[in-house]
Amino acid sequence: MIEKIQPTHLPLARLLDGRLFKIPDYQRAYSWTSRERKDLFDDIENLYLKGAEESHFMATVVCLRREKVQLGTDEYDQLDVVDGQQRLTTIVLILNAIRLALDSGEPRQNRVRSEISELLVKVEGDNLLLLQTNHDTSHHFADFLRDSRVNSLDQGKTIADRELLTAVSDCRSFVKNWTKGERDLLGLYACIKNRLSFILHEISDEKLVYTVFEVLNSRGMEVSWLDRLKSILMGKAFELKKKNRNQLISDLHNIWRDIYAQIGLHQGLSTEALKFAATLYQSDMPSRPLGERDAVDEFRSKAKDAKSIREIAHWLLRITKACDEVISNHRQNAVTRISQARLLAVAIHLDSNMKESDRKELLSRWEKVSFRIYGMMGRDARTGVGDYVRLAWRVANEGLAIKEIHSEIRFIGKQFPISKAVESLRNTNCYDGWESELRYFMFRYEEYLTRREGNNFQNEQWERIWEASPSKSIEHIIPRSRASNDIRHRLGNLMILPPNLNARLQDKPTSQKLEAYRKTGLLSAIEVASKSRWIKRTVREREEELLRWVTNEWAD
């Protein structure tokens, strides 16, 4: 019997009444940023100002119905959230922020405080209204709802964790700012509870869930291309004969759980992983990386049976892990943001049978060539597209010998010799628009100085430098306000300090900053501090010293 799809239009109060929501682990982690949250806050404020007669359609929520659960004398429908989790999660965080801000000593506010408490955490069984089971491994969400515990941002070990903790902070700030005007918290709660509305698709057939998801997506629903691909593969799996699909669906749930767990570690990983996976999966050698839409179309066309569907999911997981290898390595991740160059690095990481020593040498050669082209010489994404992409595909698909890969990378760099790269940096503005490249450049120089001292490179200061934005660590040795135009942003006048130390030093004369340089423990800073007099000639001499090092470090 075919289940009828009967979506219902509900205010938030009715949406949450008698239901418990769970986000399964094969769904992506919480990924909204402050920008999306601000849009939601603005919607709520605008709705509040319009008056009690107005309502605001918030989102479509697609859920898979599970078994009922009895807590005390109450029965609840348990629902797996397939779509709508970002808004649901954020609204629950706002509600809890309101609860915490209400005055328990004032009778009306205390009654509402209790009402929200009972809504968010069911007393019988301590069940949460919304259970974040997917990749919130540190339980920050549950801590905030159950125990009112607000964990600090530095406790977030992954991008997903940090975004969830930032969401808690944003929602608390929104509620705090609400009370600064003439608006009261009870009015805010009433507005959210009664005037935000949703369309709920509550479906018991998992196959139908993905059909609805696809239909909504075709009508312009905002969803990532990676999520679309998952829905497509799940939908195709459910189209198979029953004997072929049960194990496949279980496998897909597990694979997507692992994909989303990996993606939760790093910002932007999902986009790169999807594009790279499809580019390297093509039957014929490509000449450019695929975009996200084309990537989904490529996989859609290849997903024909249980074997190919499972193979695609496994392949995407492998590529996601290889992308993570690049992103989690500060040095490799900083070489360039040019897509085709990063694709080759990912392909090199793919081969699990490659000796680590061979992989290290290949990545070192990739790094030299890629930074010469896109870092030192400033070439854009139109440069080397075909060469990089074709080689990446061959590395992933043809089992090339290590020597041949070395030769091919060297060939790519042949048109961009170190001599020209060095001239690109000489007497040049190496600050404006080059902040990320400069940080990577100086990291490599710190590595070199450490090796020269005979030590292993393990510097906690650099972990802090990588985590901050590049501009917070770049120091002008002769302050910008005191340096003449011809040397102000030259390489010889630039260095890296721990985050914000340069701001504290401000415009002090160089002679008054040297002791602070020494105390950082950075060898490059200590080297700068060894020169007591900094004038134009000192800047030029340091630039030439750095360029001599560059000539040796980045030559083939």
Side-chain angles (χ1 to χ4, degrees), residues 448-512:
Y448 158 74
L449 293 177
T450 306
R451 287 197 311 268
R452 194 176 68 179
E453 294 287 320
N455 298 323
N456 292 323
F457 185 75
Q458 292 179 329
N459 196 306
E460 293 180 6
Q461 296 280 38
W462 265 97
E463 286 301 315
R464 294 171 53 211
I465 291 168
W466 283 121
E467 288 174 2
S469 67
S471 60
K472 291 185 177 180
S473 296
I474 296 174
E475 163 78 345
H476 288 73
I477 301 168
I478 301 177
R480 280 181 278 185
S481 61
R482 299 170 183 265
S484 58
N485 290 337
D486 59 330
I487 64 161
R488 182 176 294 122
H489 298 317
R490 281 177 61 168
L491 190 59
N493 195 42
L494 301 171
M495 61 185 291
I496 295 291
L497 294 177
N500 297 319
L501 175 57
N502 56 337
R504 294 199 294 273
L505 296 175
Q506 295 183 338
D507 285 340
K508 292 181 180 179
T510 308
S511 59
Q512 296 179 24

Side-chain angles (χ1 to χ4, degrees), residues 487-538:
I487 64 161
R488 182 176 294 122
H489 298 317
R490 281 177 61 168
L491 190 59
N493 195 42
L494 301 171
M495 61 185 291
I496 295 291
L497 294 177
N500 297 319
L501 175 57
N502 56 337
R504 294 199 294 273
L505 296 175
Q506 295 183 338
D507 285 340
K508 292 181 180 179
T510 308
S511 59
Q512 296 179 24
K513 300 191 292 184
L514 298 182
E515 184 57 30
Y517 293 173
R518 293 188 190 96
K519 288 180 178 179
T520 63
L522 297 173
L523 294 180
S524 53
I526 294 170
E527 184 180 70
V528 169
S530 69
K531 303 178 190 295
S532 58
R533 189 162 181 250
W534 279 87
I535 57 177
K536 284 186 179 183
R537 188 180 69 188
T538 321

Side-chain angles (χ1 to χ4, degrees), residues 118-134:
E118 292 171 8
L119 173 67
L120 299 183
V121 184
K122 310 304 178 186
V123 177
E124 297 286 347
D126 198 30
N127 288 55
L128 295 181
L129 167 73
L130 176 64
L131 186 58
Q132 285 270 350
T133 59
N134 62 330

Side-chain angles (χ1 to χ4, degrees), residues 9-14 43-58 178 186-198:
H9 187 206
L10 304 167
L12 181 68
R14 288 181 56 203
D43 287 341
I44 294 171
E45 290 198 61
N46 292 334
L47 178 61
Y48 181 86
L49 293 172
K50 287 179 179 178
E53 299 303 313
E54 295 288 334
S55 64
H56 177 75
F57 172 65
M58 182 56 56
W178 187 272
L186 297 183
L188 172 60
Y189 175 58
C191 177
I192 293 173
K193 172 184 173 183
N194 300 311
R195 293 162 58 196
L196 290 184
S197 66
F198 298 78

Side-chain angles (χ1 to χ4, degrees), residues 12 40 58 87-95 192 196 198:
L12 181 68
L40 173 59
M58 182 56 56
R87 280 184 173 80
L88 271 181
T89 301
T90 309
I91 287 171
V92 167
L93 292 176
I94 294 172
L95 293 178
I192 293 173
L196 290 184
F198 298 78

